[in-house]
Every structure is written in structure tokens, then in C-alpha cells.
Amino acid sequence: MHISKSQININELHFFLNNNKPTSNNKIKALLKHQLNSDSGFPELIKNMKLSNNSQSKTIIINGISIDIYMNMSRMNSVLANTFVSKKKEGRKCILCNLLEGQKGLEFLDKKYLILANPGITKPGDLTIASIKHEKQLIKDNFPDMFRFAKEMSDYSIYFNGALAGASCPHFHFQAGLRDILPAEIQINDFLLGNTIGNAHIQNVLQTNHLNVYNIENFLRTTFIATSNSKSKLIDFCNYFLNNLTKLNYLYFNNIKNVPDFGEY
């Protein structure tokens, strides 16, 4: 079914609210219960939840930093997907324009997005926040929406993955998961409290009245953190950071085998 026709019926949702107030957080949790229900739910999600629950995992330590590794078969389609191939050339329909049988979602932000249970499970409760209109997977100009989601969905952390960071679909979408669940998120919170992990530590690289920007040294991946008490200042910084990152991409990501030339993207 097309994404624009896949919103959940309010009566179906009401049953799974269990008399809780219809806040954004509670409606999303009711949606997840509905989609996992054996009678009314989303078969692909139910199947993949069983696969995820039975997946093997191991934690390894590198330079004092813990990394969790999962053999999670429910992630296979996402891992093998090629975001760089156009849907026309690939010969198949967009998986977010055309949702699977039983997949339903909540309309959000003036019906611009549909919040969906993500069948490619990283952690239980994972969400895909898909644009109802098919647009490219580019964060540029979409930071304000990301922060609106963060405010409305206070029980969740909001993520964006670009094509070079694991996005498995070229249709514009955010992702979300329950807060303070992912190991790296827990570690980042520790860094902000001034703690060190292994050889990794936080450094303040910019400080103003409304904005702090940090870099984490020796964290096994390049990590910057921006914190602010002003949404507008944070949006301005994110756009500034993205524009400068674009210039670096243009310098260093040209003519590399198997890596597309994204230009301004």
C-alpha cells in the first residue's frame, strides 16, 4: 500500500493506548503494540522480532571502548541494500513509498511524515520516520524537522543516516529509538559528564553564550557534539557544519572506487 494511505485508524490505536493519555510518546508505543500484535499487526516485523530476539551477540573491547557485535538476520535486507542505485535502475519499487502488508504508521508534523515500526530491527522499538513525499535522503534544510521530532518524542532519540552512513533507502527518512539504549549514546552521555572511557576523552573546541561544540579524541570514529539552549543557534550551527563538511567531501571524496561523487550532497 502507498505510504500516503497507510496511516493507522484512530480506533485501532485507541485500543492499544490502554487508557493512557494520547501524547506523542504514548501513541507511538501504542503503534508498536499494534504492529506486534499477532492478530492485527505487521507480519514482517513480528517475524523479524523473533529473529532479533534469537540473534547472537558479543561485546569486544578496543582501546578500552566496548563495541557490541550482533549476528542479526533481521538486518540482512538493510545491510545488503544499495542506496546509491536508483529505484528505476534497480528494477523495484521504493520500500518506503510502497509499504509492506500490514505496515501502518502515525501521521506527524502536519501530515508531512509517517512514523513506522522499523522491520530491520537494531533494538526493539526502532522507528522509521518517513517523508510521505518521495525526496532524496539529504539532511540539508531538514534540521528544523529533526529538532521538532526530538521535542515531541521525548522518550526517543532521533537519528539521520546519509547514504555513506548506512542508509538503506534513498527515500528521505529519519530514524528513532528509545533513549539511552545504544552503547555509543550511553558513552557520549558519559563524556558530557566529564568521564573518560579507555583512552577517549572530550575536548571543548567552541564555546559561546548559547553553544558548546566538543570533539571526542581517540573514540575509534570521528565524533563531534553540539549542545545549546537555543534551537535556532543549534540549527544555524548544524547548517554551518554541514556546509563546511560538504567542502571537505568535495576535496577528499572524488574519484574513489565504489564511492559516489556526491558533490554538494
Side-chain angles (χ1 to χ4, degrees), residues 186-203:
I186 297 170
Q187 292 163 354
I188 286 171
N189 288 336
D190 282 342
F191 287 125
L192 288 171
L193 292 173
N195 299 322
T196 60
I197 301 175
N199 296 325
H201 60 279
I202 196 169
Q203 289 185 321

Side-chain angles (χ1 to χ4, degrees), residues 32-253:
L32 291 169
K33 290 178 181 178
H34 172 276
Q35 293 286 268
L36 284 169
N37 183 272
S38 58
D39 295 324
S40 63
F42 175 22
E44 185 74 6
L45 178 69
I46 295 169
K47 179 191 75 174
N48 284 351
M49 183 63 75
K50 293 177 181 177
L51 288 173
S52 178
N53 289 338
N54 293 322
S55 63
Q56 297 180 357
S57 64
K58 185 176 181 63
T59 299
I60 62 173
I61 307 296
I62 302 176
N63 295 340
I65 299 168
S66 64
I67 304 290
D68 289 351
I69 300 174
Y70 290 87
M71 180 64 77
N72 185 349
M73 298 301 290
S74 75
R75 293 288 302 166
M76 181 180 291
N77 289 338
S78 296
V79 170
L80 297 179
N82 189 345
T83 312
F84 307 137
V85 178
S86 70
K87 60 179 180 179
K88 182 177 180 181
K89 183 176 179 181
E90 195 175 357
R92 65 178 184 180
K93 297 178 180 179
C94 170
I95 61 173
L96 288 179
C97 281
N98 301 276
L99 300 179
L100 295 171
E101 180 184 354
Q103 191 172 14
K104 295 183 179 182
L106 282 170
E107 288 182 329
F108 233 69
L109 296 196
D110 303 318
K111 300 182 179 181
K112 184 178 179 180
Y113 294 92
L114 199 68
I115 298 178
L116 302 158
N118 186 352
I121 300 162
T122 302
K123 295 284 187 179
D126 281 351
L127 305 171
T128 299
I129 306 172
S131 170
I132 290 179
K133 182 180 178 181
H134 185 93
E135 298 174 319
K136 292 181 179 179
Q137 181 66 354
L138 304 172
I139 189 61
K140 185 179 180 181
D141 301 324
N142 288 305
F143 285 115
D145 287 350
M146 190 174 193
F147 295 129
R148 286 181 68 187
F149 278 113
K151 181 179 180 180
E152 289 288 327
M153 301 164 56
S154 56
D155 288 350
Y156 293 83
S157 294
I158 314 300
Y159 307 102
F160 174 85
N161 284 336
L164 289 177
S168 57
C169 180
H171 180 124
F172 183 76
H173 63 284
F174 296 110
Q175 291 175 306
L178 289 168
R179 287 179 59 178
D180 302 329
I181 294 294
L182 294 180
E185 185 180 10
I186 297 170
Q187 292 163 354
I188 286 171
N189 288 336
D190 282 342
F191 287 125
L192 288 171
L193 292 173
N195 299 322
T196 60
I197 301 175
N199 296 325
H201 60 279
I202 196 169
Q203 289 185 321
N204 188 287
V205 295
L206 175 66
Q207 185 173 10
T208 70
N209 290 335
H210 299 285
L211 180 74
N212 280 286
V213 180
Y214 306 92
N215 176 42
I216 303 179
E217 293 282 339
N218 304 317
F219 192 40
L220 306 181
R221 63 285 223 187
T222 301
T223 304
F224 290 93
I225 304 170
T227 65
S228 178
N229 57 10
S230 166
K231 183 173 74 173
S232 63
K233 295 292 184 182
L234 197 55
I235 291 172
D236 288 344
F237 173 77
C238 287
N239 286 322
Y240 170 82
F241 186 87
L242 182 66
N243 287 335
N244 281 276
L245 193 63
T246 296
K247 296 174 185 177
L248 291 174
N249 283 343
Y250 185 76
L251 287 174
Y252 296 109
F253 284 93

